[in-house]
Amino acid sequence: MTFPETKSLVGIDAISFATPRAYVDLVDLATARGVPPEKLTQGLGALRMSIADRHEDPVTLAVDAASAMFDRADVDPSQIGFCAVGTESGIDHSKPVASYVHGLLELPSRCRVYDAKHACFGGTAALMAACEWIASGAARGRTALVICSDIARYEIGSKGEPTQGAGAVAMLIAERPRLLEIEVGRSGGHAADVHDFWRPLHRRDALVDGKFSVSCYLDALSSAFEEWSTLERERGRGEALVRCAYHVPYVKMAKKADARRALVEGLTVEAAEERFRREVGSSLVFAGEVGNIYTGSLYMAVASMLHHEARDLEGRRVGLFSYGSGCAAEFFAATVAAGAGRLARRLELDRPLRDRVRLSISEYESIRRAEGEGDPVAQESHTVAGASTVFVGVDAVERRVYQRAARGSSPLEGRSAA
Ligand code: CAA
């Protein structure tokens, strides 16, 4: 039996990302942990990892990513009718991150607002729901805001520690998108009930069965890619994929993923290595600087790819693979829109990586220790520099209090990132 496909042109109209200014250099971390630096820089492919301080959280990162996108891509917030945040580092068991974001960005009250949670897959769940909302006609011409925002934390000294990171990616989803036209309804998927990575409600740090998580990721990729390839054969092959962006918990994982896809396709090891350099490299530059940002990792890879070569890719087809532990995965394709190169230049997607502050290992460890003491108490006259949105603290009845600099104004004064 065949089913009609959606003919709507829907996808990512604009994109932006935010990450804390503070970072840990992985050579410093390796030295402190008594590990050869090459194990982290080559074995994992990671150079630096962003570290959020006590006044940064998934809300502040999400708002900063979205407001940068509004400013640089001429987005009209009054047209947004859907605001979904993919996150797995939620700050409240009930109130969604999306509600804070909706308020701080002053989005319209006629808006569907919610969080989507499925480990690192939550952002893709929100993105697909947004695309389908528009393709179905339910949007009535409005646009959707999808934000992926997370802080990746593992225990100090654990194997996962060098794969931490923090950041958010904001995307505007619209008809006739200016950056990436997503092939809605043509994804290959995979799901299974596995215990590869989890975070019990009382914990800030994730628990992980590291090696098992890698094999779950690769098995999910084979399965999702096989279904996508079957659909390609049944519905008529499109253009070949010229790039592929993966979920990137650490850079080397994308290499393993591309090698697994090559195996499914029957490529030789040499051909696979050559293809990896050509077709995946540009998507990994930001991840090497930031680390894992969970829900946003795939979309930070897309931003990195567009930043480095959007102009050359206009009209070309790319693959995307999303993985969330637990687990769920999706492989899908998209076409880079005509004119994407011009918009990508205006977006200045590498701006969050300029002007960063290198933490010493003891500064980093004291930030992590302070997290264990709970949330700061909101002070009436609190001011913070280096970010436009700040988590001030909790008030007397544990409501979270945020402060946001007015759009276009200079950052708040008073504190260095370290
Ligand atoms: N020089 C160069 N390379 C070296 C080296 C050295 N001196 N010493 C070791 N290496 C290499 C190893 O050969 C290995 O490479 P391969 O994977 O290609 O074999 C690599 O460095 C890693 O070394 P280990 O195998 O010893 O790995 P580890 O025990 O340190 O743990 C990890 C690695 C499992 C990824 C761990 O960091 C971890 O648990 N991370 C968190 C979980 C994670 O990211 N999982 C990914 C899939 S799940 C997912 O994607 C969801 C998500 O976002 C979490």
Side-chain angles (χ1 to χ4, degrees), residues 36 38-39 42-44 120 154 159-160 163 197 208 210-211 213-214 217 247 249-250 252-253 256 292 294 323 325:
E38 305 74 41
K39 177 175 177 194
Q42 292 164 29
L44 299 179
C120 304
Y154 298 93
K159 293 279 177 82
T163 67
F197 169 103
V208 62
K211 297 272 160 64
S213 72
V214 171
Y217 177 121
H247 170 58
Y250 55 97
K252 179 76 150 307
M253 188 70 229
K256 290 178 191 285
N292 194 357
Y294 289 160
Y323 176 77
S325 291

Side-chain angles (χ1 to χ4, degrees), residues 356-375:
R356 298 173 85 196
V357 178
R358 181 177 179 164
L359 297 177
S360 68
I361 296 302
S362 65
E363 286 170 324
Y364 149 67
E365 288 177 353
S366 64
I367 288 174
R368 295 297 316 271
R369 271 196 299 278
E371 287 170 358
E373 290 158 17
D375 290 320

